Amino acid sequence: MADKRKRRRPADDSDSDSDADSKLPFKSKLKPDSAILQTLKTLKDSATASASSSATKPLTLSDLNLSTACREVTDLSLSSVQSSIESLILSFAHSILAGNGFSFSVPSRSSANQLYVPELDRIVLKDKTAVRPFANVSTVRKATITTRILQLIHQLCLKSIHVTKRDLFYTDVKLFQDQTQSDAVLDDVSCILGCTRSSLNVVAAEKGVVVGRLIFSDNGDMIDCTKMGMGGKAIPPNIDRVGDMQSDALFILLVEKDAAYMRLAEDRFYNRFPCIIVTAKGQPDVATRLFMRKMKTELKLPVIALVDSDPYGLKILSVYGCGSKNMSYDSANLTTPDIKWLGIRPSDLDKYKIPEQCRLPMTEQDIKTGKDLLEEDFVKKNPGWVEELSLMVKSKQKAEIQALSSFGFQYLTEVYLPLKLQQKDWL
């Protein structure tokens, strides 16, 4: 028998969508997209003009008359790396035959040997070195690892091939014991030879991804990053494969986390506001940092960052902008200058009324990291960073980008980012 009860008429979809939109905090403050796009065009024009004015002679470490001697590495060809290794080993052979044994003079990469240069807005390595003799019980193992790494790099030069850091570790697991040890010595070898790590033909596994308004060639194949789906295009581990960058984007959006990246990619945020979206899924790897710098240099686009509101989000941002202390010897090639901090900032928690249950209490380690960052010169240089970081430490609260999902899964792309861009709310 047919059900004769009166059924409630379903609400009209457009009405329900309208009601949902009206409940989104701050949605009513948004101007038409055309107004926001005009703001972004002005930002891009400013970045292009700034890049053009400094393009004639970019400031380098050698241009500065620093009281402290510093060192930097350069890109070397495979033949140059090979010659440098052979010359070094030949000098060791002469020393051994003279009865003096051999030792490495290794540039120190300790915190005490780092220097922040405000004029360059990046961290550089000072000139202090440490001796690593083979004939010493405390350094014999590390000297052996260093010699073995040099031998493996020499093989790569002869064969003209690339390997990953993991491949390198597995060539002599018994000696290296742990990959962190072979990785650390690999950086030492770069410093000893005076070349970038990419010059050694040793790369990290693919980690970073890019999506949006970018076309580039990868080893001769043209890649259109608007047609790479949600996952995007993996950033090539070897930056030498990348060329012919073309873009109609207005800015580069640097995202700390994969979850936020996926939201932006699925919502095709780059079509609404023409941009290139990049993430290294956490701590930035060398390939992503090289790719970011190449985009900034060649496309002359402003870079805007979206990171978590915690000390580690700011640390990640600073690694992209000022360099890491671990690889300060190569900061000239790995840093992207003038990155603007869009969010999530500590002041946003109250400004956007992030619910209390979505705010996380900072641990003692978080607070210590925040206080340590406040002592860093690259933070002190930016009063806005100091103010935000001080607020974070004082409130003892942190929040992830995903806290915005408490207002709706698409609040990040529909309201938060457009409003921040509209208001030019970056540091």
Side-chain angles (χ1 to χ4, degrees):
M1 185 180 232
D3 188 356
K4 294 182 180 179
R5 284 177 299 178
K6 205 168 190 179
R7 290 178 182 156
R8 181 178 294 175
R9 184 180 175 185
D12 184 75
D13 286 346
S14 60
D15 290 342
S16 60
D17 288 346
S18 178
D19 289 344
D21 284 350
S22 65
K23 292 176 183 175
L24 290 176
F26 306 103
K27 173 113 179 168
S28 60
K29 291 188 176 183
L30 278 175
K31 294 179 180 178
D33 285 359
S34 57
I36 302 173
L37 287 169
Q38 190 55 52
T39 299
L40 292 172
K41 285 174 184 172
T42 303
L43 176 66
K44 180 191 175 183
D45 291 343
S46 175
T48 304
S50 177
S52 300
S53 64
S54 60
T56 50
K57 192 180 185 299
L59 198 62
T60 63
L61 191 60
S62 58
D63 295 327
L64 304 174
N65 189 22
L66 297 177
S67 57
T68 307
C70 299
R71 67 170 66 224
E72 280 189 322
V73 297
T74 57
D75 277 316
L76 293 181
S77 64
L78 279 184
S79 58
S80 298
V81 172
Q82 181 182 332
S83 297
S84 296
I85 293 173
E86 290 169 355
S87 298
L88 183 63
I89 298 304
L90 187 61
S91 69
F92 288 167
H94 288 153
S95 180
I96 292 168
L97 290 172
N100 299 321
F102 75 95
S103 61
F104 293 97
S105 179
V106 184
S108 171
R109 291 185 291 117
S110 66
S111 295
N113 201 40
Q114 315 278 344
L115 177 68
Y116 173 72
V117 182
E119 295 88 344
L120 302 175
D121 193 23
R122 56 183 172 85
I123 301 168
V124 299
L125 190 67
K126 292 193 280 188
D127 209 27
K128 181 183 176 183
T129 59
V131 178
R132 187 177 292 172
F134 179 76
N136 186 301
V137 70
S138 64
T139 56
V140 60
R141 185 169 174 276
K142 211 157 190 181
T144 304
I145 293 174
T146 307
T147 308
R148 178 69 169 133
I149 293 287
L150 281 166
Q151 180 196 15
L152 294 169
I153 299 300
H154 190 259
Q155 288 180 22
L156 295 180
C157 293
L158 292 174
K159 295 179 179 179
S160 191
I161 58 173
H162 290 80
V163 298
T164 66
K165 293 193 292 182
R166 195 68 176 166
D167 289 328
L168 203 70
F169 165 68
Y170 273 110
T171 57
D172 206 330
V173 176
K174 191 172 182 180
L175 174 62
F176 299 145
Q177 295 181 2
D178 187 89
Q179 191 183 328
T180 55
Q181 297 191 41
S182 57
D183 286 355
V185 172
L186 185 65
D187 285 326
D188 289 341
V189 167
S190 289
C191 291
I192 292 169
L193 299 178
C195 67
T196 61
R197 203 175 74 186
S198 54
S199 298
L200 303 178
N201 274 19
V202 180
V203 298
E206 292 179 347
K207 181 185 176 190
V209 286
V210 58
V211 74
R213 311 289 273 264
L214 175 69
I215 296 174
F216 68 92
S217 67
D218 180 0
N219 207 25
D221 298 324
M222 294 307 295
I223 307 295
D224 185 345
C225 295
T226 61
K227 299 175 180 176
M228 301 305 296
M230 260 181 63
K233 169 71 173 79
I235 292 174
N238 178 11
I239 196 65
D240 295 335
R241 284 168 35 183
V242 177
D244 301 322
M245 284 188 168
Q246 306 164 38
S247 177
D248 63 349
L250 298 177
F251 65 101
I252 299 167
L253 182 58
L254 176 61
V255 184
E256 176 187 349
K257 285 186 167 178
D258 194 30
Y261 169 87
M262 286 176 63
R263 176 79 276 127
L264 291 158
E266 185 174 31
D267 289 355
R268 297 288 198 271
F269 184 78
Y270 52 82
N271 284 336
R272 183 180 174 191
F273 301 106
C275 64
I276 302 165
I277 305 169
V278 178
T279 184
K281 304 176 185 178
Q283 192 66 29
D285 58 313
V286 169
T288 304
R289 291 165 66 187
L290 286 168
F291 192 81
M292 278 292 301
R293 182 174 178 86
K294 189 175 182 69
M295 280 198 299
K296 170 80 173 178
T297 305
E298 294 193 8
L299 302 176
K300 297 178 175 57
L301 293 175
V303 182
I304 298 174
L306 179 67
V307 298
D308 285 341
S309 177
D310 63 23
Y312 305 103
L314 193 56
K315 280 188 81 171
I316 285 171
L317 177 54
S318 70
V319 168
Y320 280 110
C322 306
S324 66
K325 291 185 177 179
N326 189 47
M327 295 191 70
S328 57
Y329 63 88
D330 195 15
S331 63
N333 299 302
L334 293 174
T335 52
T336 303
D338 193 27
I339 298 179
K340 303 183 187 306
W341 183 15
L342 187 73
I344 304 287
R345 300 207 302 271
S347 59
D348 288 344
L349 304 191
D350 287 336
K351 181 179 177 181
Y352 286 86
K353 297 181 171 37
I354 303 293
E356 286 294 329
Q357 67 264 27
C358 297
R359 307 183 191 193
L360 305 172
M362 291 175 69
T363 65
E364 290 301 317
Q365 183 58 47
D366 290 337
I367 295 169
K368 181 183 182 301
T369 303
K371 289 179 177 178
D372 289 345
L373 275 172
L374 282 168
E375 298 302 314
E376 295 285 0
D377 290 333
F378 59 80
V379 172
K380 290 179 182 177
K381 183 187 177 186
N382 193 324
W385 284 31
V386 173
E387 186 179 340
E388 292 285 354
L389 197 50
S390 298
L391 174 60
M392 186 192 299
V393 171
K394 183 181 177 182
S395 67
K396 297 182 180 179
Q397 288 184 324
K398 59 183 180 180
E400 297 182 348
I401 301 168
Q402 283 68 47
L404 295 168
S405 297
S406 60
F407 301 125
F409 293 127
Q410 294 178 297
Y411 188 78
L412 173 68
T413 56
E414 294 295 330
V415 180
Y416 179 78
L417 284 177
L419 190 56
K420 295 279 279 187
L421 294 172
Q422 172 186 305
Q423 296 173 343
K424 304 180 185 178
D425 188 12
W426 51 70
L427 297 175

